[in-house]
Amino acid sequence: MQDATPAAAPLLGIDLGTTNSLIAVWQQGRAQLIPNALGEVLTPSVVSIDDDGSILVGRAARSRLTTHPDRSVAAFKRFMGSEKRLELGGQAFSPEELSALVLGSLKHDAEAFLGCAVHEAVISVPAYFSDEQRKRTVFAAELAGLKVQRLINEPTAAAMAYGLHEQKFERTLIFDLGGGTFDVTVLEYALPLIEVHASTGDNFLGGEDFTEALLQACLKDWGMTLSSVEPQALASLYDSIELLKCKLGEGPQTVYWKGAGEPREWTLDELGAQTIWEPLLGRVRAPIEQALRDARLSPRDLDSLVLVGGATRMPVVQQMVAKLFGRLPYRHLDPDTIVALGAASQAACKARDSAIEELILTDVCPYTLGIETTRGANISGVFSPIIERNTVIPTSRVQRFYTSHEQQKTINVEVYQGERPWVRDNIFIDSFVVELTPMDKIQSLDIRFSYDINGLLEVDVTLVDTGKRHSHSIDRSPTGLDEEARQNSHQRLAGLKIHPRDALPNRTLTARLERAWMQCLGDEREQIGTWLSDFSQVLATQQSSLIASQRQQLNEALDALNL
Ligand code: AMP
């Protein structure tokens, strides 16, 4: 693979989503989506271990989630930043290792499309992602052989794509409900300036929760529980419920399912779904109110309302938003692809591409950062903010603190993030010790937090009496991972066999046929069984034109059956 010359290094943006991921490139003055090996721009963020031990990413893995749930994983972005390990064919993987496999697959697609090696990209993250979640995303990129040029908040990336496209907006609220996260961002366009005023959200609310709620309700109606259904049957039911959710807008939908016992069916209309989703819809309101309060705006001050993320396709979500704001939301650009396009535009902005040079973007730190202090003689664990949430970044803020007693020899600076008054309820980020020279008096110290555009936090402590300064960088290398753990991840991934990209279209069709066979019964199942054997016979001929034509025919036949 040829290396691009530094001046011509491709300007790439990646949307690493809970459900789907995309990669876009800035070329000839505009952002353009890059197709994967199947010619599609959405790559499901799903990883599976194939029967021969090779790693499959994307659509084939998505099909195997139903047929081989113990050898496939999805929605791992939801665990990013945690110590959770996900089982995949007897091996345990971290969320960042699995994300690295998705990023690696996108990287290969970009290299095949562009014809040159790819080393760096702008990657989008949910605005409300914590410091640790951001660090782990950067580590996932490192594992995939990608340097992160910048992390951009997803709604900010969407705002950027809209800003380039639409010139007439001013104060805008971006409502971003993806597969696993929910972000609300209030910003103002005064082009060429795009100024983010407030960003907030819920890292554990997304379209997958809406599917999960329906699944639970369906099982409850059948007098069953999640644990009473074996994994393969459950995966198949989840699939059918996901489809039902996506088609509810067309009218009442019915799920047909055969687990171990009698065949069953479950019918639901929009009203029924709304009742089941009431608690989730309720959780959408609080971040909206907070973002508007922080931006000091009321709903009627907004000029426009933009919906981003696949889950905003749900009519109930659109209706709720319209009711809340008393206006119809703007859904002009494709909510699935806009974030990747915005991330590529940001890459162009960073490279000062002439077509975009004028655009200036200011973002905010979406959460409060501070340290642990004590109050009075015996109240410890108090959270003292230094940078308040929704402060424009880059920013540098200083506050004065005092030692607790005269003979104090050290202070332990413990850095936290969050919105709660006690550190125990917030997220611990890092800690370090500063040596003091006892002076027989209470000493004062200035603690400065500097937060840059990439979310890199630096803490400076200055002892006021001596002027001595202590600097501490809270960098992007994951604090929760020591060098050994990082090397283990590198080795684990280097030892994996990745399914060859060229063979993916055939492998994807076989996985799709196997899933369809599992989901159907009777004549339909028999028909799919015949297709499966026909296709394996054609594969055995190794005649590429014959294989391609039958592949197209079978994919169209499955499309027609909605399978
Ligand atoms: P994203 O992370 O933006 O790709 O969003 C993925 C989420 O959008 C998943 O939970 C999907 O179920 C959901 N989604 C995609 N299309 C639809 C649709 N037509 N109706 C309802 N939900 C959808």
Side-chain angles (χ1 to χ4, degrees):
M1 176 79 47
Q2 195 150 25
D3 236 344
T5 57
L11 306 169
L12 295 164
I14 293 179
D15 171 3
L16 180 61
T18 309
T19 315
N20 294 302
S21 295
L22 301 92
I23 184 162
V25 61
W26 182 270
Q27 267 180 340
Q28 280 133 23
R30 68 182 190 95
Q32 184 187 342
L33 295 164
I34 294 180
N36 59 23
L38 308 177
E40 295 167 350
V41 295
L42 290 184
T43 297
S45 309
V46 186
V47 178
S48 183
I49 295 198
D50 209 349
D51 307 334
D52 66 355
S54 65
I55 295 286
L56 283 165
V57 174
R59 252 240 272 162
R62 176 77 194 77
S63 294
R64 284 174 59 84
L65 201 55
T66 315
T67 54
H68 299 78
D70 54 330
R71 295 175 72 84
S72 316
V73 273
F76 32 84
K77 180 176 168 182
R78 308 202 83 168
F79 304 110
M80 195 70 121
S82 75
E83 296 312 313
K84 188 168 169 79
R85 292 285 175 275
L86 294 112
E87 279 281 323
L88 192 59
Q91 292 185 59
F93 289 88
S94 67
E96 53 270 23
E97 288 168 353
L98 296 165
S99 303
L101 293 170
V102 175
L103 288 170
S105 168
L106 298 176
K107 180 176 182 281
H108 280 131
D109 291 332
E111 288 175 338
F113 181 79
L114 298 165
C116 64
V118 158
H119 302 294
E120 53 183 24
V122 169
I123 299 184
S124 64
V125 287
Y128 209 57
F129 243 23
S130 72
D131 196 70
E132 192 61 32
Q133 289 169 309
R134 286 165 195 260
K135 285 173 187 162
R136 299 291 177 112
T137 306
V138 174
F139 184 50
E142 179 191 312
L143 287 172
L146 279 172
K147 178 172 172 273
V148 175
Q149 275 176 306
R150 180 171 163 185
L151 290 178
I152 185 168
N153 291 334
E154 286 164 8
T156 311
M160 191 130 185
Y162 263 100
L164 290 172
H165 198 263
E166 284 290 332
Q167 309 284 318
K168 59 179 189 282
F169 292 170
E170 286 175 8
R171 274 173 291 199
T172 299
L173 184 137
I174 304 218
F175 180 104
D176 179 359
L177 189 63
T181 54
F182 173 50
D183 283 328
V184 182
T185 291
V186 176
L187 53 93
E188 190 157 358
Y189 291 96
L191 293 172
L193 184 69
I194 303 176
E195 202 179 345
V196 176
H197 289 313
S199 240
T200 181
D202 185 334
N203 277 340
F204 300 95
L205 178 63
E208 311 278 339
D209 296 291
F210 287 75
T211 312
E212 198 78 33
L214 296 185
L215 179 72
Q216 300 266 9
C218 168
L219 287 172
K220 191 167 167 226
D221 284 356
W222 290 343
M224 299 163 87
T225 58
L226 277 179
S227 53
S228 67
V229 187
E230 60 95 20
Q232 209 182 35
L234 189 64
S236 158
L237 179 60
Y238 188 95
D239 242 19
S240 309
I241 298 257
E242 167 71 19
L243 197 66
L244 170 145
K245 179 187 83 171
C246 292
K247 293 178 85 181
L248 264 183
E250 297 169 17
Q253 301 291 322
T254 302
V255 161
Y256 300 96
W257 181 73
K258 188 170 182 334
E262 287 290 292
R264 292 168 185 274
E265 57 180 78
W266 191 62
T267 300
L268 189 72
D269 62 10
E270 268 214 280
L271 209 62
Q274 206 163 342
T275 313
I276 295 167
W277 289 334
E278 205 44 61
L280 294 173
L281 293 168
R283 277 171 63 194
V284 162
R285 284 191 198 108
I288 295 176
E289 284 160 7
Q290 187 186 306
L292 286 172
R293 201 166 39 245
D294 285 359
R296 295 189 176 78
L297 293 176
S298 74
R300 67 178 171 280
D301 297 325
L302 294 170
D303 299 305
S304 62
L305 190 61
V306 169
L307 300 189
V308 180
T312 60
R313 291 188 191 279
M314 284 188 288
V316 274
V317 170
Q318 290 168 25
Q319 285 152 16
M320 189 204 75
V321 172
K323 215 158 111 193
L324 217 58
F325 291 92
R327 77 178 74 207
L328 285 178
Y330 195 80
R331 300 182 66 247
H332 189 66
L333 299 182
D334 181 355
D336 289 329
T337 59
I338 183 169
V339 170
L341 294 172
S345 313
Q346 176 58 38
C349 218
K350 246 190 139 269
R352 308 197 72 74
D353 186 273
S354 55
I356 205 172
E357 199 172 5
E358 288 301 302
L359 214 56
I360 304 160
L361 178 74
T362 71
D363 212 335
V364 294
C365 169
Y367 29 71
T368 300
L369 294 163
I371 59 162
E372 177 181 359
T373 56
T374 51
R375 191 175 293 142
N378 50 12
I379 301 179
S380 60
V382 175
F383 180 52
S384 293
I386 295 182
I387 294 178
E388 304 240 76
R389 71 165 182 263
N390 291 322
T391 301
V392 174
I393 56 172
T395 184
S396 189
R397 295 280 162 95
V398 68
Q399 275 208 29
R400 183 155 294 184
F401 296 90
Y402 301 90
T403 52
S404 334
H405 55 89
E406 294 178 353
Q407 292 308 316
Q408 200 165 330
K409 292 194 179 108
T410 56
I411 51 157
N412 187 20
V413 180
E414 298 223 342
V415 182
Y416 285 85
Q417 126 189 357
E419 310 305 324
R420 313 280 290 276
W422 304 102
V423 291
R424 62 167 184 264
D425 300 320
N426 289 326
I427 299 170
F428 171 76
I429 294 185
D430 204 358
S431 74
F432 59 95
V433 173
V434 177
E435 304 283 340
L436 299 172
T437 316
M439 288 183 177
D440 281 335
K441 65 170 190 174
I442 296 289
Q443 298 187 46
S444 33
L445 32 119
D446 285 341
I447 300 191
R448 175 180 291 279
F449 274 20
S450 305
Y451 193 89
D452 77 7
I453 196 85
N454 285 314
L456 187 100
L457 176 65
E458 214 178 83
V459 182
D460 270 317
V461 181
T462 306
L463 307 177
V464 177
D465 290 298
T466 59
K468 208 168 132 199
R469 216 175 127 206
H470 182 106
S471 253
H472 184 83
S473 242
I474 295 171
D475 66 19
R476 286 256 159 255
S477 55
T479 47
L481 292 177
D482 55 26
E483 195 46 37
E484 193 187 340
R486 293 163 64 85
Q487 285 316 320
N488 281 344
S489 284
H490 273 286
Q491 272 165 16
R492 198 168 15 251
L493 292 207
L496 293 175
K497 186 170 77 175
I498 306 291
H499 197 87
R501 189 176 182 277
D502 297 349
L504 262 182
N506 295 337
R507 186 64 194 91
T508 305
L509 175 59
T510 312
R512 188 178 178 189
L513 284 165
E514 283 169 358
R515 179 171 79 162
W517 190 90
M518 190 186 146
Q519 284 175 329
C520 296
L521 293 170
D523 291 348
E524 219 168 34
R525 177 176 265 196
E526 206 174 309
Q527 172 67 76
I528 291 160
T530 311
W531 288 343
L532 244 175
S533 19
D534 288 352
F535 190 55
S536 46
Q537 273 171 16
V538 171
L539 281 179
T541 66
Q542 297 191 359
Q543 291 182 40
S544 44
S545 59
L546 195 63
I547 294 171
S549 113
Q550 195 179 26
R551 197 174 59 223
Q552 188 182 345
Q553 273 177 29
L554 290 178
N555 270 320
E556 282 169 6
L558 289 169
D559 287 346
L561 291 174
N562 244 327
L563 288 165

